[in-house]
Amino acid sequence: MKVLVCHNYYKTTSGEDIVIRADLELLRAAGFQIVEYTRDNAETTDYRVHQYLRFAVDTLYSRRTVRQIERLVEAERPDVAFVQNVFPLISPSIYYALARLQVPIIQLVYNYRLVCPNATLYTEGKVCERCVKGNYFHAVRHRCFRNSVSLSALYAGTLAAHRHIGDLGRMIAAYITPDMFLRSKLIAAGYPASRMFTMYNPFNIGQYEPAYTHAGHFLFAGRLVREKGIFTALRAMELLPEGRLLVVGGGEAEEAARSYVAAHGLSNVVFLGPQYGPDMLSELAGARAVLVPSEWFDNCPVIVQQAFALGKPVIASDIDGLTEVVTHRSNGLLFPPGDAAGLAAQMGALMLDEELRVSLGRSGRRMAETELTPERRIRGLREVIAFVLKQKLPASVSAGER
């Protein structure tokens, strides 16, 4: 079985980048032949005006992608294609090319981009679902993408063109989501429920040994952006001076977060910057618990899976997406999103009750041992591949001829 895997990597390594690499590793280990088609947002550095205009055109429809996919498919003859992120460099043109070439498309969905121009259902400091039904003008009005009218218009226009005119839903043979909540939003937007599959992110628990002891700190690991709840975590540390928080990651809110810590004299917060692999796992292995104070509909974050694999409880926001994997007083603790006092209270509870902390960690590890195995992921992917190969492929799409 030959699988074409397509992904546009981000400038700053994201959870989506991590999971696509994990899928590639698992697929190769399971005997699949893999062909990769990737781009990297590092290519977009220091665009001049004429280059920006070219970027805008290519985001809408990339002729380069079409030419390269045509050559790649002709040479490799893949049986199916897994497509993950296509923005901004690959562009939705890849769907037209693959459909015209009769390669079944399996869309891996790890964010809300199919229904939301900024992919998070979060803007102006709160959850937002204005665009789910397809009216993307809201994104321009609220400057949802990087607080830019032009970029918001570009992404809104691209989604509108391909969803409503290009009939994107018809070209995709199956969708894989990491949780039922994300699936429900796609269905609410009109994508076909009959082609939806839900399974946890790719993960290899065999690479993790549980560590039920700790070095005394809590850990926040992820992008430093407001929707991830970094400022809720920092406010909680004001209320819990006896606690200690290590912050791993970088992002657009990093400077503001560091300024907040300095302004409030939070000596119990340490920023470690972006870390991956053994360095990050070392900090995780020493944690009392992992904080996931998200204020958006977070979709099964990789850090939650890593925490459970290492036997660490997770203190998470009680918000859709997260509550499908973190169960209160079973494998973690929940608190109302944005509630710093609630977060501090749950952190304090684990500091006072070591028996509870270990019990939650062991429960998380048991969940990981049954749900987060390579065998389970590969079995699920095989089922999806079998499903799409039985379907009637869509007719050639004229846009792919451009």
Side-chain angles (χ1 to χ4, degrees):
M1 175 70 66
K2 185 175 287 190
V3 177
L4 171 62
V5 178
C6 309
H7 180 58
N8 194 134
Y9 285 92
Y10 294 85
K11 279 186 181 179
T12 302
T13 298
S14 69
E16 291 181 59
D17 293 339
I18 292 171
V19 296
I20 196 67
R21 289 171 180 145
D23 256 339
L24 287 168
E25 181 181 336
L26 296 181
L27 286 165
R28 288 190 172 106
F32 287 85
Q33 291 179 269
I34 301 297
V35 179
E36 291 186 64
Y37 179 75
T38 64
R39 299 286 299 276
D40 193 308
N41 282 354
E43 300 173 37
T44 64
T45 302
D46 296 328
Y47 268 135
R48 296 180 180 178
V49 173
H50 72 282
Q51 293 172 311
Y52 178 81
L53 293 175
R54 181 72 259 172
F55 163 77
V57 170
D58 286 346
T59 298
L60 180 64
Y61 189 90
S62 171
R63 294 178 183 273
R64 170 180 169 176
T65 293
V66 172
R67 290 193 300 269
Q68 292 178 336
I69 286 294
E70 286 176 341
R71 290 197 292 266
L72 192 58
V73 169
E74 179 65 26
E76 298 290 346
R77 301 292 181 182
D79 297 288
V80 297
F82 285 165
V83 178
Q84 193 162 313
N85 178 44
V86 303
F87 287 98
L89 299 175
I90 292 177
S91 94
S93 60
I94 193 169
Y95 300 111
Y96 299 89
L98 290 171
R100 185 175 61 79
L101 294 166
Q102 299 287 281
V103 179
I105 301 167
I106 299 171
Q107 179 68 52
L108 301 171
V109 188
Y110 292 108
N111 61 38
Y112 299 96
R113 182 80 71 191
L114 290 175
V115 299
C116 171
N118 75 7
T120 62
L121 294 182
Y122 182 95
T123 193
E124 298 174 338
K126 57 187 177 183
V127 166
C128 168
E129 300 184 56
R130 297 181 184 96
C131 292
V132 169
K133 296 296 185 181
N135 181 359
Y136 299 116
F137 175 76
H138 298 293
V140 182
R141 180 171 171 235
H142 292 272
R143 301 185 179 202
C144 292
F145 193 84
R146 298 184 183 174
N147 198 34
S148 165
V149 170
S150 61
L151 287 175
S152 297
L154 173 60
Y155 277 74
T158 299
L159 284 177
H162 296 292
R163 179 172 167 185
H164 299 308
I165 301 172
D167 196 8
L168 186 60
R170 182 173 63 89
M171 291 183 282
I172 297 173
Y175 304 77
I176 297 176
T177 69
D179 59 57
M180 294 298 290
F181 182 78
L182 177 49
R183 177 182 185 272
S184 74
K185 290 304 168 188
L186 295 182
I187 294 171
Y191 290 94
S194 61
R195 287 184 258 155
M196 299 280 177
F197 295 82
T198 298
M199 62 185 80
Y200 287 120
N201 295 334
F203 194 81
N204 188 351
I205 190 177
Q207 298 174 349
Y208 295 78
E209 288 293 329
Y212 299 114
T213 58
H214 65 83
H217 62 266
F218 293 91
L219 182 74
F220 177 104
R223 289 184 301 120
L224 299 187
V225 292
R226 291 186 181 274
E227 59 265 32
K228 286 287 189 179
I230 179 60
F231 293 100
T232 300
L234 297 182
R235 291 194 301 272
M237 296 311 295
E238 287 185 79
L239 303 172
L240 195 70
E242 65 274 25
R244 184 166 182 262
L245 176 65
L246 301 187
V247 178
V248 173
E252 62 190 48
E254 180 176 358
E255 183 177 346
R258 287 179 179 271
S259 295
Y260 186 96
V261 166
H264 292 81
L266 298 182
S267 60
N268 57 348
V269 177
V270 179
F271 290 91
L272 299 178
Q275 292 187 358
Y276 307 99
D279 290 338
M280 195 281 289
L281 292 179
S282 176
E283 305 296 353
L284 178 54
R288 286 181 188 269
V290 173
L291 308 187
V292 187
S294 300
E295 295 168 22
W296 70 301
F297 299 127
D298 213 343
N299 307 117
C300 192
V302 173
I303 187 62
V304 172
Q305 295 177 300
Q306 292 174 317
F308 288 167
L310 284 171
K312 302 298 177 180
V314 174
I315 305 177
S317 299
D318 188 359
I319 193 168
D320 283 312
L322 284 174
T323 53
E324 290 185 40
V325 63
V326 181
T327 303
H328 188 59
R329 299 191 71 83
S330 174
N331 53 24
L333 300 172
L334 298 173
F335 69 97
D339 182 356
L343 172 55
Q346 301 294 14
M347 295 168 69
L350 290 192
M351 292 175 69
L352 293 173
D353 192 340
E354 183 67 7
E355 184 178 346
L356 173 63
R357 191 195 68 81
V358 172
S359 174
L360 297 177
R362 290 188 183 279
S363 178
R365 173 68 188 190
R366 286 193 297 271
M367 179 267 191
E369 289 172 345
T370 57
E371 303 289 342
L372 304 180
T373 65
E375 295 78 15
R376 191 177 182 92
R377 177 71 178 184
I378 290 299
R379 185 166 63 249
L381 294 181
R382 289 188 189 278
E383 290 173 358
V384 178
I385 291 171
F387 170 83
V388 302
L389 291 179
K390 291 177 182 176
Q391 308 306 304
K392 181 180 179 181
L393 291 172
S396 295
V397 180
S398 59
E401 304 284 356
R402 297 177 191 172

